[in-house]
Amino acid sequence: MKETEVPQEEGALRDLKELYYVTDEEGNYTTRLSSGWEVKNVALEASLGRLQEQIDEAKANVIAGRKSPIVYYMLLNRMDWAVLADAMHCWQWVIKRHAKPSVFKKLSPKTLQQYAEIFNISVEDLVNLAN
């Protein structure tokens, strides 16, 4: 891409800029910042919209008692099972067990504190989401 062709369409990235490698008038590689382009904006907005739907669904499941707050905060923090398991230094199956309300209620204060630190919230916020 040439230096003059760097897309500058406002959109999903808002105030963030992306770094593009471009060629200048002499054919040398250089970098320029881009605020985005239409195709990427459409894809990002669709992806973020779907993520928000998943977050809302997870919160409804927590309130209804079908899932533990771990699922909600995991999605809210843009994590998946693998990322959360790695942050907790546990197997994924252990984290998935913690997603069950009956298991979550029995978690030790130390484990709850570890989740709270990962999600950057208080233990009280973690355990009281459904209330």
Side-chain angles (χ1 to χ4, degrees):
M1 177 183 312
K2 294 184 180 175
E3 196 172 26
T4 57
E5 299 171 346
V6 176
Q8 298 296 338
E9 299 173 21
E10 295 296 324
L13 294 177
R14 311 253 181 323
D15 295 333
L16 298 175
K17 303 282 185 188
E18 284 188 302
L19 183 67
Y20 278 73
Y21 289 95
V22 296
T23 54
D24 61 17
E25 298 84 27
E26 296 151 11
N28 298 318
Y29 281 99
T30 186
T31 59
R32 289 291 174 260
L33 294 175
S34 170
S35 57
W37 57 299
E38 184 180 4
V39 174
K40 183 173 260 185
N41 289 337
V42 169
L44 279 172
E45 287 171 7
S47 177
L48 292 173
R50 177 64 185 128
L51 180 59
Q52 188 59 51
E53 289 172 9
Q54 291 174 331
I55 291 168
D56 295 342
E57 182 181 340
K59 188 170 187 176
N61 283 330
V62 171
I63 291 170
R66 292 186 292 267
K67 296 287 181 184
S68 81
I70 290 170
V71 177
Y72 170 75
Y73 284 111
M74 177 182 72
L75 292 170
L76 191 64
N77 285 278
R78 310 307 196 250
M79 296 177 160
D80 61 11
W81 297 111
V83 171
L84 182 54
D86 188 50
M88 287 290 292
H89 306 290
C90 290
W91 296 100
Q92 285 185 45
W93 68 267
V94 173
I95 304 300
K96 288 179 182 179
R97 273 193 81 239
H98 294 172
K100 297 178 182 179
S102 60
V103 175
F104 180 77
K105 290 177 186 175
K106 298 175 187 173
L107 292 178
S108 70
K110 180 181 176 186
T111 302
L112 292 172
Q113 180 63 41
Q114 192 176 359
Y115 276 117
E117 288 174 6
I118 289 168
F119 297 140
N120 199 26
I121 58 173
S122 68
V123 172
E124 184 177 319
D125 288 342
L126 178 64
V127 297
N128 290 326
L129 176 65
N131 299 332

